[in-house]
Amino acid sequence: MAKIEMKTPLVEMDGDEMTRILWKMIKDELLLPFIDLKTEYYDLGLEYRNETNDQVTIDSAEATKKYGVAVKCATITPNAARMTEYNLKEMWKSPNGTIRAALDGTVFRAPIQVKGIEPCVKNWEKPITLARHAYGDVYKNTEIKVPGAGKAELVFTGADGKEIRQTIQEFDGPGIIQGIHNTDKSITSFAKACFNYALDTKQDLWFATKDTISKIYDHNFKDIFQDIYDKEYKEKFEEAGIEYFYTLIDDAVARVMKAKGGFIWACKNYDGDVMSDMVSSACGSLAMMTSVLVSPSGVYEYEAAHGTVQRHYYKHLKGEETSTNSVATIFAWTGALRKRGEMDTIPELMEFADKLEKATLSTIESGKMTKDLALITSMKDVTVLNSENFIKAVRESLEALL
Ligand code: NAP
Ligand code: MG
């Protein structure tokens, strides 16, 4: 069989530890035999990040802007322990943070649903994709512990020197104060990324805040979304047969619990932090969660939502067998290949991505899976495979489909 040809390279960001091992296995077993794979390779493994003073991360983000599609392996975000483990020159920043800042992107996360691993919420037939605004609010706050009686004020001094001043509270004893902010620019980028991704995936978009209580702050989010929708997206949504739906956050939570799924749920920063963990844990396993960073200009970076699975890597280094789930990393590749195929009009590449996903799911549905899934499946008599044999089983299913 002839290999599928590509036109534009994918930006390939390699990573660390166990996921780096899976990365190579996936390429060798599931991609290279079938695709004439064109990638521009960036090694985001911690050693090379340290060697290049993290320049490689910046270069990979720039390449993503240039080519439009990237696929990323999980990477270590250094902490004190990693400083000694890898003898680092500096505690380099999280590559995901650097890439997200460079692309001004929004992260969309969705569970991979498969028969045998049912969500705790029985009516969730289709995945719920969560979009979290990743800038500001309580994550960039200023806080004061009020020592005793006194007056707290909110003051804004304009570049022209003009002042806006409001009383927050006249304290008659100790308490606390918090200042938070957001910018129209960041909210606009978030809104556009959400509308684009909804069109892209042909799913309804839900957005919710607490604008009845926060009449200026949260209301501003609601107004910006509505304004952009009316001006730039209303017609496109109608053509695509999808809907933009705004409601209050508590109403959204109640509706989500009763919904069938199959929509995008856009959340403010804090809501997204909380709700994404709720959705993912209800769907079983972090190893079954995909993640894609979408910029407002339509650039895509695909990855798995989990980390480098350090504990398994240490076992692997000791020569022990591991049963690490590669599904989310496989889906990062299929997401990127499908998007590349769509942008370059290569239908065979898009079909291949569909088939590889189908092969992965049907392998699990046939009872062959890694240990993390075997622990939570409703299926009886399953076969637990090690990291390598699971990927080989997927290859068998894939070859049967091709
Ligand atoms: P982790 O790699 O997500 O793993 C935490 C635990 O979850 C594992 O020990 C394992 O549980 C389970 N798990 C996660 N993915 C799995 C998979 N594919 N298959 C089977 N089990 C899986 O988180 P971590 O150990 O806290 O972090 C390790 C490193 O990853 C850190 O250096 C962190 O900075 C980095 N990280 C990177 C990203 C990213 O690049 N996007 C995201 C998060 C964390 P058991 O051990 O019980 O089997
Ligand atoms: Mg969290």
Side-chain angles (χ1 to χ4, degrees):
M1 207 182 67
K3 289 191 189 181
I4 299 165
E5 296 283 334
M6 289 177 65
K7 292 175 190 162
T8 321
L10 272 180
V11 177
E12 176 184 352
M13 303 168 175
D14 206 344
D16 287 299
E17 301 195 311
M18 200 58 213
T19 40
R20 190 180 179 99
I21 309 281
L22 297 178
W23 194 259
K24 182 164 188 319
M25 287 181 192
I26 292 169
K27 282 178 69 181
D28 288 346
E29 285 289 330
L30 303 176
L31 305 174
L32 294 170
F34 311 103
I35 304 171
D36 195 11
L37 196 65
K38 257 196 193 154
T39 72
E40 196 164 288
Y41 180 86
Y42 291 87
D43 185 359
L44 301 198
L46 186 51
E47 269 170 44
Y48 195 62
R49 270 184 278 148
N50 189 52
E51 209 177 302
T52 61
N53 298 329
D54 211 23
Q55 185 61 39
V56 65
T57 308
I58 295 159
D59 292 346
S60 73
E62 288 308 315
T64 306
K65 282 189 205 164
K66 177 175 163 195
Y67 293 115
V69 190
V71 56
K72 180 180 170 290
C73 178
T75 46
I76 293 170
T77 298
N79 57 15
R82 303 298 198 169
M83 292 293 291
T84 31
E85 186 183 353
Y86 284 84
N87 193 17
L88 300 180
K89 297 185 227 171
E90 242 181 70
M91 203 185 284
W92 307 111
K93 283 193 253 173
S94 146
N96 287 52
T98 303
I99 296 164
R100 192 166 62 211
L103 301 182
D104 187 19
T106 297
V107 173
F108 296 83
R109 284 189 165 190
I112 300 160
Q113 282 183 212
V114 57
K115 267 184 233 127
I117 318 283
E118 278 79 24
C120 302
V121 183
K122 293 196 171 47
N123 41 285
W124 288 357
E125 290 165 15
K126 291 181 187 167
I128 293 168
T129 302
L130 220 123
R132 172 179 172 188
H133 183 211
Y135 178 81
D137 301 352
V138 70
Y139 300 86
K140 237 176 163 12
N141 64 9
T142 306
E143 299 184 318
I144 297 176
K145 193 158 170 51
V146 174
K151 183 168 151 187
E153 289 180 301
L154 196 57
V155 183
F156 169 78
T157 313
D160 58 2
K162 270 198 198 128
E163 211 174 69
I164 307 173
R165 183 179 289 264
Q166 277 182 32
T167 303
I168 298 171
Q169 179 70 7
E170 305 262 10
F171 284 92
D172 53 18
I176 38 180
I177 324 167
Q178 179 181 63
I180 61 170
H181 81 279
N182 225 300
T183 67
D184 287 3
K185 181 168 177 275
S186 175
I187 301 167
T188 300
S189 292
F190 176 53
K192 287 189 176 175
C194 290
F195 288 127
N196 285 340
Y197 197 64
L199 281 172
D200 220 43
T201 58
K202 299 229 171 2
Q203 298 185 88
D204 289 346
L205 176 67
W206 295 20
F207 181 48
T209 71
K210 195 72 181 175
D211 66 281
T212 46
I213 299 297
S214 172
K215 290 188 166 59
I216 293 179
Y217 198 103
D218 276 20
H219 217 290
N220 192 52
F221 279 82
K222 178 183 176 180
D223 289 344
I224 289 177
F225 265 71
Q226 194 62 49
D227 191 47
I228 294 173
Y229 177 70
D230 291 340
K231 284 193 186 129
E232 296 177 38
Y233 291 94
K234 197 169 189 294
E235 275 173 30
K236 292 179 196 159
F237 267 52
E238 280 164 5
E239 266 168 41
I242 57 173
E243 194 178 289
Y244 168 58
F245 172 62
Y246 177 86
T247 188
L248 286 168
I249 185 66
D250 41 350
D251 181 49
V253 171
R255 284 172 188 261
V256 162
M257 283 301 166
K258 301 271 180 207
K260 286 198 162 81
F263 54 88
I264 299 164
W265 186 10
C267 287
K268 286 179 61 199
N269 210 349
Y270 173 81
D271 297 337
D273 187 351
V274 176
M275 294 308 162
S276 63
D277 283 5
M278 183 190 76
V279 171
S280 64
S281 78
C283 290
S285 166
L286 200 58
M288 296 292 279
M289 182 74 64
T290 61
S291 184
V292 53
L293 177 75
V294 183
S295 82
S297 63
V299 165
Y300 294 75
E301 182 242 315
Y302 294 83
E303 66 174 327
H306 59 78
T308 59
V309 214
Q310 181 181 16
R311 233 174 52 82
H312 295 209
Y313 180 60
Y314 289 168
K315 276 175 76 178
H316 171 84
L317 287 182
K318 279 194 262 170
E320 290 171 34
E321 192 173 85
T322 59
S323 181
T324 315
N325 189 332
S326 48
V327 173
T329 307
I330 296 174
F331 274 62
W333 274 102
T334 54
L337 289 168
R338 187 185 295 108
K339 178 53 74 182
R340 194 68 273 168
E342 189 188 308
M343 284 182 174
D344 294 350
T345 344
I346 313 172
E348 312 85 75
L349 198 57
M350 296 166 73
E351 263 167 47
F352 176 83
D354 291 344
K355 283 182 180 161
L356 179 49
E357 288 183 359
K358 223 172 145 189
T360 308
L361 299 181
S362 71
T363 304
I364 297 170
E365 284 167 3
S366 76
K368 293 177 195 162
M369 59 191 77
T370 44
K371 194 172 149 200
D372 57 312
L373 295 185
L375 288 171
I376 57 169
T377 183
S378 55
M379 274 187 258
K380 305 244 162 11
D381 304 323
V382 299
T383 311
V384 179
L385 298 177
N386 65 28
S387 309
E388 192 170 7
N389 286 342
F390 176 74
I391 290 171
K392 288 199 163 137
V394 171
R395 178 165 177 175
E396 263 178 42
S397 314
L398 177 64
E399 279 176 344
L401 283 177
L402 290 172

